[in-house]
Amino acid sequence: MATDASTELSGTAALKDAGDGVRARNLARLLRRVHLEGPQSRAQLTAATGLNRSTVADLVAELVGDGWVVERDPDPAGRVGRPSPVVEAAPRTVVIAVNPEVDAVEIAAIDLARRVAVRERIEVELPSADAVTELVAEVLSRWTNGELDGSRVVGIGVAVPGLVRQADGLVRNAPHLGWVDAPVRASIARATGLPVAVGNDASLGALAEHLFGAARGADDVVYLNGGPSGIGGGIIVHGIAVGGVGGYAGEFGQNRVRTDDAATLEDEVSRARLLHALGLTGADDAALADAIAASADEAVGAECGRQRGILAQALADAVNILDPAVVVLGGFLALLVELDPEGFAEQVATSAMAENAEDLRILPASLAADRLLLGAAELAFTAVGVI
């Protein structure tokens, strides 16, 4: 699914864009370089952008003055001559990332260097859209008077397990949460006074893994995430997130897997089915992985094998259609694959066209529990015109 970039912009949040469009673009180029590549010396920024040294120095000074970056002296070890100052993301400028799920709402403050300043998981069963708005406002108020005292919060990004309309960020349908046409972006913006952007959680996970995780460096990616709310997906083609006309692309979990009934992929490949086979009422991904590894029950092994076979066929279909370089699997889907990665890759290759599967890599998501929050933070920074 596509992310939503519509937001109520704050003049203090966005980079300066009045008057000199070239300068604004160059400011964004430098800031994005620091964001994606980490701390950069002025010399590195000069070489990467092709701008002259005085222009880079002037742009960096503006970014420092506006609170986006800080400068520090480089490590003197092994250096000869005059050192070039190192530019890095300012740790006190953050966005708030939010991920509501069926059993909890997770909230974090994240800076441009992807450092998590503070994080909180609030357990609540099937939170309503209004409840999420109230929680975000309450946590933000508490943090700004506590852990984030002295920090600058520039925006909020929300990763929702459901269909998000690209045009305005309206949550059209989050079935597992029971949300229909929920104006989450507008309500959180009113409650906090901050710019807010909303996107589908799996698409944001795909974005994070593409930029910073397992799929970094790959421009054609299929991402599937398995969580408490089912299976969602994201698609990257030629380095660009694909959302479709309304922003709803990537709903792999809703694909039918049988012709004799209405069973979907997420009906048959299911975290709940794994928990039931194990006799558990609940478990996070780490506990679920441990339980599967420790089980000698043939029924558990059979259920894992059944789900792996259905997932392999679904991925083979996606590979035939999209021809990705990398497939990234997150959540409990990664646990299923990691039981036998080579065997699973062979299952996919057997069902896919040989040419499409030749150089395909199937990888577990590498950002672990951070992937959806990092994707929400990326959406927030992008939507307010920072990067």
Side-chain angles (χ1 to χ4, degrees), residues 270-354:
S270 161
R271 200 171 186 277
R273 284 177 177 265
L274 291 174
L275 291 172
H276 178 74
L278 289 161
L280 300 175
T281 57
D284 61 17
D285 286 346
L288 180 59
D290 290 343
I292 291 172
S295 177
D297 190 335
E298 290 184 3
V300 172
E303 178 61 19
C304 289
R306 187 191 69 82
Q307 292 199 26
R308 281 164 54 89
I310 296 171
L311 178 62
Q313 181 61 59
L315 285 183
D317 293 342
V319 167
N320 285 342
I321 294 167
L322 295 167
D323 191 24
V326 178
V327 170
V328 178
L329 298 174
F332 79 89
L333 301 182
L335 306 183
L336 288 172
V337 174
E338 287 170 357
L339 294 171
D340 180 9
E342 292 183 4
F344 184 79
E346 181 59 30
Q347 281 183 287
V348 174
T350 299
S351 297
M353 291 177 60

Side-chain angles (χ1 to χ4, degrees), residues 1 21 115 135 141 178 218 224 238 249 299 328 336:
M1 289 184 185
R115 293 174 292 226
L135 281 174
S141 176
L224 267 69
H238 299 328
V328 178
L336 288 172

Side-chain angles (χ1 to χ4, degrees), residues 70-251:
V70 294
E71 280 194 296
R72 60 174 171 81
D73 292 332
D75 181 357
R79 293 188 175 273
V80 178
R82 184 178 180 181
S84 177
V86 172
V87 181
E88 61 184 14
R92 289 290 189 173
T93 296
V94 301
V95 294
I96 303 299
V98 183
N99 177 217
E101 258 294 358
V102 296
D103 55 354
V105 179
E106 193 160 18
I107 307 175
I110 301 175
D111 70 11
L112 271 167
R114 306 185 299 286
R115 293 174 292 226
V116 178
V118 57
R119 181 178 193 156
E120 191 168 331
R121 177 182 168 86
I122 303 162
E123 295 190 359
V124 52
E125 188 175 350
L126 292 176
S128 67
D130 288 342
V132 170
T133 294
E134 292 172 6
L135 281 174
V136 172
E138 184 274 322
V139 168
L140 179 60
S141 176
R142 176 158 43 85
W143 284 356
T144 53
N145 290 293
E147 295 94 331
L148 296 183
D149 184 29
S151 294
R152 179 176 63 146
V153 180
V154 298
I156 298 173
V158 187
V160 176
L163 298 172
V164 180
R165 189 163 65 191
Q166 188 172 16
D168 58 6
L170 184 75
V171 179
R172 295 300 313 278
N173 187 16
H176 298 281
L177 292 173
W179 298 3
V180 177
D181 290 337
V184 176
R185 183 191 65 76
S187 63
I188 294 178
R190 282 195 301 268
T192 63
L194 289 170
V196 178
V198 182
N200 170 260
D201 61 348
S203 288
L204 294 176
L207 179 65
E209 289 290 341
H210 167 58
L211 293 176
F212 312 116
R216 184 167 189 173
D219 284 341
D220 294 274
V221 181
V222 169
Y223 170 84
L224 267 69
N225 184 68
S229 292
I231 295 175
I235 305 166
I236 308 291
V237 175
H238 299 328
I240 299 171
V242 174
V245 65
Y248 311 135
E251 278 295 321

